[in-house]
Amino acid sequence: MLAEVVALVTPPRCAACRAPAGRAAEVLCAGCRRALPWLRGPCCERCALPLPHARGRCPARDAAFDRAWAAVAYAGAARDAMHALKFCAARPLASVMAAQIAANAPPALLPAGPSDTVLVAVPPHPRRRRTRGFDPAELIAVALARRTGLPLHRALRRGRAASHQLGASREARRDAANLHFAARGPAPPRVALVDDVHTTGATLSACAAALRQAGSEHVAAVTWARTLDERLVESDQAEAYHR
Ligand SMILES: [Zn+2]
Ligand SMILES: [Zn+2]
């Protein structure tokens, strides 16, 4: 509400760099759109990282999703734009990001014509959703459904980890709880799992595992941005995937 009032009394600015947006009143200014670090070169179909892998090994080799794809690297103007979406509630950005995903994703992951592919958003952490009042992954998924015509199913929910899955330390218990998802019922056979940023891949893999358990045969992780820091990706991921 406040955001709408502020928008009425202040001239439109670029959501990422805050420069006056000019007469076109675009969500992202031309400079920021030009500066987006597109992942246009050859990328790994499993982990979405540019090839070759820094350590010669794919960090998603044990992931529960079949494929992964992202539009941009999570850096520079992309990081600024995501920050604006997450923390300044710049909601129109979700439509821009969805349009960029729809225009660039491989047709095998997001088919343009009739298909049996269903979009599923990674469910938000309840505490995070309460503080922000909205969820970036869901906003992008809703906009992507509108743009592609693919159905959006709320097929997943956050669950509680069973006590035998919980580790000894408080951190281990918290991590296990953060990574526990459950399907709401039988899951669709082909799923494009939508999130805002693919960081370690642990959350996406946990969601894919829950979908698989509920009957999905093919799960692709589709995100707007991908973290390229393979040190972070490798160290967190190797452990998280084996939980
Ligand atoms: Zn800008
Ligand atoms: Zn890979």
Side-chain angles (χ1 to χ4, degrees):
M1 182 57 193
L2 183 63
E4 277 90 2
V5 174
V6 171
L8 282 177
V9 295
T10 54
R13 287 174 176 274
C14 168
C17 73
R18 309 301 301 151
R23 250 188 293 165
E26 283 158 324
V27 184
L28 277 184
C29 72
C32 282
R33 271 181 288 129
R34 263 197 308 275
L36 282 177
W38 296 99
L39 289 173
R40 293 218 204 270
C43 289
C44 174
E45 288 195 354
R46 282 280 277 153
C47 69
L49 289 173
L51 291 169
H53 292 305
R55 297 178 184 207
R57 289 192 307 174
C58 177
R61 61 198 170 276
D62 296 322
F65 47 79
D66 299 276
R67 287 186 63 172
W69 179 88
V72 297
Y74 189 52
R79 190 191 293 264
D80 294 344
M82 188 54 76
H83 196 274
L85 174 62
K86 282 192 174 183
F87 301 106
C88 312
R91 285 165 189 254
L93 269 176
S95 304
V96 173
M97 292 169 181
Q100 293 174 345
I101 293 171
N104 295 289
L109 303 192
L110 292 179
S115 79
D116 55 357
T117 298
V118 166
L119 304 176
V120 174
V122 169
H125 198 281
R127 212 175 327 142
R128 236 171 274 158
R129 189 177 184 141
R130 237 174 290 141
T131 49
R132 288 196 206 129
F134 74 99
D135 173 55
E138 187 168 280
L139 287 182
I140 293 172
V142 167
L144 195 57
R146 207 173 299 145
R147 189 160 281 269
T148 59
L150 295 172
L152 173 63
H153 286 198
R154 290 192 166 75
L156 287 173
R157 59 178 176 79
R158 294 244 177 197
R160 254 176 219 284
S163 55
H164 69 268
Q165 291 174 302
L166 301 178
S169 72
R170 187 191 292 183
E171 287 73 31
R173 281 201 302 272
R174 192 198 53 212
D175 289 353
N178 279 344
L179 285 175
H180 196 76
F181 298 89
R184 291 182 191 275
R190 282 189 78 84
V191 173
L193 184 60
V194 181
D195 206 355
D196 46 13
V197 185
H198 183 156
T199 307
T200 68
T203 302
L204 289 160
S205 185
C207 286
L211 289 165
R212 259 177 207 294
Q213 226 166 36
S216 292
E217 284 152 22
H218 189 273
V219 181
V222 174
T223 59
W224 182 66
R226 177 69 168 103
T227 304
L228 296 194
D229 186 343
E230 291 214 28
R231 280 165 309 164
L232 167 76
V233 171
E234 186 69 27
S235 62
D236 284 15
Q237 215 164 23
E239 281 167 56
Y241 281 147
H242 291 292
R243 279 213 187 97

